[in-house]
């Protein structure tokens, strides 16, 4: 089951650089893990912004929330979740 | 080069049913064509709405505009285009 | 799996009264069916508006979209879907 | 009498972790109390956000305001209240 | 129990003048009735707009919805309902 | 002459509790004064929010601005002012 | 007493040209009258839009509403009214 | 050439009182200067807000920007600029 | 003097095709004229929308308004005008 | 390939003056570099705001994102990117 997620990241300007770097490091590691698991199916950077569009493949909304709410950057993100379904005009059988 | 596109369709209530059906038929055929060509890479229906999120793989903004503005449903759509780039945390080498 | 749905209905003023009445009749029948099936779990009218908040219990986003997009009033509704999960502070074991 | 309430929580980043934890602890205890009393009828987490949709069953707007404004997290919440009534298509006699 | 209500009226330009006049006549009569009953406690015109702020004194949200949804102009109004309570700084014992 | 005013209060989280309490004390005293004078005609709390709807009866916009801008909480408030007039359907001769 | 008013005009596309011309003619005549009376103190066209910013000098909100609501174009206008007062930094004694 | 400008001022709560007072003093002096020069033609306070509507008479957008961006309060202001022209219904030959 | 203009075009669906074609023809001719005159300096299509970003080089806001308000498509356009000035970091001496 | 970019800059009030000056210095140097390279094709200041409209000529969205996200002021900017194409009515062969 696919969910489209927009994430806008806003780290406080006052956050020490090393703390920010560490946050990004563990976020990146976690993202890699979830992508390898096939859960985080797409992760695109929105050009010109510290934001991304993602598509998650999960078995339930619980699983989705657990993943998103435990992301290291979660406290610093504005997140919008949109449930997706297969489009009647989609010819791709593996894209939903 | 990837572009994220949101399309919200609003056909006039007064449009005759057969005209609407024909529009959808040619739209679907065109979408299939573009997907087979690899241009219209992703096409997902937004659950609960006559809308979709799509990802287009094009060589230029010209190509993108030509595709979108010649879609049969174009006159009845509100379209938002967002340019994408590879996310630094994306492990997928074929997803941008 | 629960989804929160807001529906705002706007029938064209020009729609003949009997057509509107028939639409509402079949909508009401369909709603009853889905409630009896346990799918449409909550349906509340928003005071002062031709709108409702609903909660659907479905197995997938596909099922949700099929239900919503085939409602007789679907062409005349603005719909917002929000995925829900069990709240960590919820004491009710049957409410998610 | 039912009221639909959306709560978006935003704790200051600078708040010490233990203070935040204590706030959440007493909030959770209070929420349990109100749910046991049948007042806080539904409490759902919005997937991907530090937010919830709730439904309160109260005798008056005074009671509702007293409950909401004395929640430990109240100073850190954006709250939207929407009055509900029984929907003419609702088949559930205990859901309003 | 008090509810603050904003009503913005938008009659279709194409509506025949006599039909509009009749609608306004019956709306005015109904408003007078509800004011005499003490239910429609305040009714103010917003300067420069075909809109009003009102305050309703009702026993329940059901009563409020029945009143609002059966107003002759209801199909042509955008309505926002906000529940009120006595303000801790209000010195007026009859204003809530 | 009546003006409808919405006030949304947002005290900085970092404000010491006693300072906040003192601000609220003098605000409450001032509000009582203005109500006794008949200027601050209505003051209602919006359920679930640190906000109010008020109606001021003043002789001029100058008087209104002087009152609002000298409220102790003024620096911490978002204020919206809407001029009112007697509604043609209002039967109350003392409500404008 | 001064009120700042924004008017956005939107005539239906289907309105016959002569009807539109006649509306504009009587609107212009009425505007001239009010300007000669000193009531409609300023009337500026917003560059690039069928809109204006105006400043009215009236004795009461009633007078303002009567003027605005009886403008021939009133049914086709979106109007925003903002009450003004003399600015403490204004050196012009005749500009409020 | 006239430009309509809206300025919303928001001084940080943490700013020392004397610093704020000094900023306002020099802002007021500068405003007086520009008004005497005929450049800052109108300056009205918006009732109930720390905001103003102004009208500037300048020879170019450069001149306008230089004036606005060098106002002492500029760093603390949200500014909206709208170009004006003479309204075809304006009877005042000196008001554009 | 440069002005940035956004134009969103929305022709009524019911407009006969030949009428729409004629409107576009005369709009295109007018646009060419203004570009040759150097007034309409830049005209870009926004990818995926029936909209454009333009930059006009005019001597006054009057000239700008005359140009925009006499465009054949003016009645069917939503227009936003933003005054520009030379950016302090711009190295181009002919771009303002 | 052209992209229209709006940048709104908001430096924290608490940032030391010399740090802000240094940031602006390196930003200006970088902007000059990119303009000389022909990449940053247009850079206009929005009158009255610490904002600009720019047009970038880049070979890909990657290049655009790299440029924008490495601007010294990037962490303090709200950025909106809009892809452009040649307008069918544009007579300028070098403006896309």
């Amino acid at each position: 089951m696919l969910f489209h997620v927009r994430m806008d990241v806003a780290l406080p300007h006052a956050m020490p650089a090393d703390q920010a770097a560490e946050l990004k490091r563990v976020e990146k590691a976690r993202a890699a893990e979830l992508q390898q698991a096939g859960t985080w199916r797409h992760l695109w950077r929105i050009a010109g912004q510290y934001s991304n569009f993602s598509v998650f493949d999960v078995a339930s909304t619980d699983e989705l929330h657990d993943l998103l709410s435990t992301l290291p950057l979660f406290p610093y993100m504005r997140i919008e979740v949109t449930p997706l379904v297969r489009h009647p005009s989609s010819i791709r059988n593996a894209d939903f």
Side-chain angles (χ1 to χ4, degrees), chain A:
Chain A
M1 201 168 43
L2 300 189
F3 288 86
H4 179 283
V5 176
R6 175 179 177 129
M7 305 182 204
D8 294 283
V9 183
L11 292 178
H13 291 312
M15 179 181 276
D18 56 352
Q19 184 188 343
E22 175 56 12
L23 253 179
K24 292 176 187 175
R25 193 189 62 72
V26 292
E27 177 87 4
K28 185 164 184 167
R30 178 63 176 145
E33 231 175 82
L34 291 170
Q35 291 174 78
Q36 276 136 12
T39 305
W40 199 329
R41 189 185 281 202
H42 296 288
L43 169 55
W44 294 294
R45 170 67 81 220
I46 294 176
Q49 301 185 11
Y50 191 4
S51 307
N52 71 62
F53 279 132
S54 291
V55 175
F56 284 81
D57 183 1
V58 290
S60 69
T61 52
D62 285 324
E63 184 189 347
L64 178 65
H65 181 69
D66 292 344
L67 296 180
L68 294 174
S69 59
T70 54
L71 286 175
L73 284 177
F74 180 73
Y76 307 103
M77 290 203 282
R78 201 178 70 80
I79 290 180
E80 254 177 77
V81 172
T82 308
L84 302 178
V85 294
R86 177 166 187 165
H87 193 285
S89 299
S90 173
I91 65 168
R92 298 186 48 178
N93 295 328
D95 203 13
F96 64 96

